[in-house]
Amino acid sequence: MILTLTPNPSVDHTLEVDGLVRGEVLRVRATRAHPGGKGVNVARALSGADVPTRAVLPVGGGGGAELSALLGDLPRATVPIEGETRANITVAEPDGTTTKLNAPGPVLSPAEIRALLDVVEDELTRGPDWIVACGSLPGGATADFYVRVAELAARYGVPLALDSSGEPLAEAARAGSVALLKPNHEELEELTGRDLPTVGAVVSAAREVLSWGNEQALVTLGGHGAILVDDTCSWWARGPLVRARSTVGAGDCSLAGFLSQDGPPDKGLARAVSWGAAAVSLPGTTVPTPEDVAAHETTVVAEPEPHQRIDRL
């Protein structure tokens, strides 16, 4: 069973337009609403593949009620908050270009933060196989929030997978004890403070992050696939070219794919890229079904050529 934590969930509204023109009145061809937040997306993708999962998240106000309704029967533990669960907007164009407008979300009180961590601890006592902590932090949460989650995970012997960005990611990565870090290319560049134009540079940066006391790094590269690095080897995988409909949530589905089964690292990486490619081909933040994933085979290369440029893979 995989436990997910989304401290700043959302309702994600997707608007499909023929083209985004600033300052003009645009006709929307289709609208969709999905439950959002990175950990929520991971849980939805896992649940759709019949992988037991349980989501922990705060909910509040009318947005929280809408989010709860959209989640349907997804197993979850919710923490009531006074603030309003945020709504995000994605504008999707036919060529796959997506423009995201992400609201900051509510401000949680110290008591609400404590209640959220208490629920996480209670769920950890049940012995999940993983805890997956994802996304931005709400107001009121300090940058060391994920460090505190890592400490709880270590206390109960549950491996932590972390997918965040900015200071919260840096704090947790530098504190160590993360079993799997999942930055994208830009987030890894920000985390290490340098450009990473080649495969070798990505692998070197990932190894630096692992030297801080972490175990594995899964670096997603958008249309260029993903690179997995541990202390012994590196692997690169890329799926077939797909017509992108929406890139929102693709990295979350990649993480879900990687964690969905036990097995050797290269097989997990292949699943990650297949799940991510399937998600990109779907509208909004729709999560792929096993049938969608099966259509996207991948090739995995161990110890890829280090001088290959990322933009030429």
Side-chain angles (χ1 to χ4, degrees):
M1 198 279 287
I2 296 177
L3 179 68
T4 70
L5 167 62
T6 311
N8 197 16
S10 62
V11 176
D12 285 353
H13 296 278
T14 300
L15 312 178
E16 294 189 1
V17 300
D18 292 327
L20 181 61
V21 183
R22 186 170 177 264
E24 295 294 328
V25 176
L26 307 176
R27 293 189 180 278
V28 176
R29 293 187 289 105
T31 64
R32 293 176 176 82
H34 292 111
K38 297 179 75 64
V40 167
N41 292 336
V42 171
R44 291 169 58 219
L46 290 168
S47 181
D50 294 325
V51 178
T53 186
R54 187 166 169 84
V56 175
L57 63 155
V59 294
E66 183 180 9
L67 175 59
S68 295
L70 289 169
L71 286 171
D73 59 0
L74 180 76
R76 59 190 183 271
T78 57
V79 176
I81 59 172
E82 289 293 325
E84 180 87 14
T85 297
R86 63 183 177 148
N88 294 334
I89 297 174
T90 298
V91 182
E93 300 176 69
D95 65 355
T97 300
T98 54
T99 303
K100 289 206 70 178
L101 304 174
N102 285 351
V107 176
L108 273 60
S109 69
E112 290 169 339
I113 295 290
R114 183 68 260 167
L116 185 60
L117 291 171
D118 285 346
V119 169
V120 169
E121 183 169 13
D122 181 64
E123 294 292 334
L124 288 170
T125 65
R126 306 171 195 271
D129 294 288
W130 283 88
I131 175 171
V132 184
C134 295
S136 63
L137 299 180
T142 55
D144 68 346
F145 179 85
Y146 286 131
V147 177
R148 298 166 71 183
V149 173
E151 291 169 349
L152 288 174
R155 183 182 305 168
Y156 292 95
V158 178
L160 168 67
L162 177 64
D163 183 2
S164 188
S165 60
E167 195 174 357
L169 171 62
E171 290 266 354
R174 291 188 180 279
S177 300
V178 179
L180 178 67
L181 288 162
K182 200 220 71 66
N184 62 28
H185 191 189
E186 292 179 356
E187 290 162 352
L188 185 61
E189 288 182 325
E190 182 180 0
L191 186 58
T192 56
R194 59 182 184 270
D195 292 337
L196 305 173
T198 65
V199 169
V202 170
V203 172
S204 177
R207 287 243 160 84
E208 177 185 340
V209 171
L210 299 188
S211 74
W212 302 338
N214 306 298
E215 296 179 22
Q216 288 184 310
L218 173 64
V219 186
T220 50
L221 306 172
H224 303 307
I227 291 175
L228 176 68
V229 181
D230 65 16
D231 60 354
T232 63
C233 191
S234 64
W235 299 264
W236 166 66
R238 183 180 180 184
L241 294 176
V242 298
R243 176 183 174 272
R245 294 192 64 181
S246 174
T247 59
V248 181
D252 310 329
C253 291
S254 293
L255 179 55
F258 185 83
L259 298 175
S260 62
Q261 299 176 32
D262 292 329
D266 59 327
K267 298 299 184 183
L269 178 61
R271 290 194 306 273
V273 173
S274 295
W275 285 45
V280 166
S281 69
L282 299 170
T285 50
T286 304
V287 296
T289 65
E291 291 74 21
D292 296 322
V293 172
H296 298 279
E297 295 184 358
T298 64
T299 301
V300 179
V301 177
E303 301 295 354
E305 168 56 49
H307 298 296
Q308 285 185 289
R309 291 188 61 84
I310 297 297
D311 59 2
R312 295 177 185 173
L313 289 175

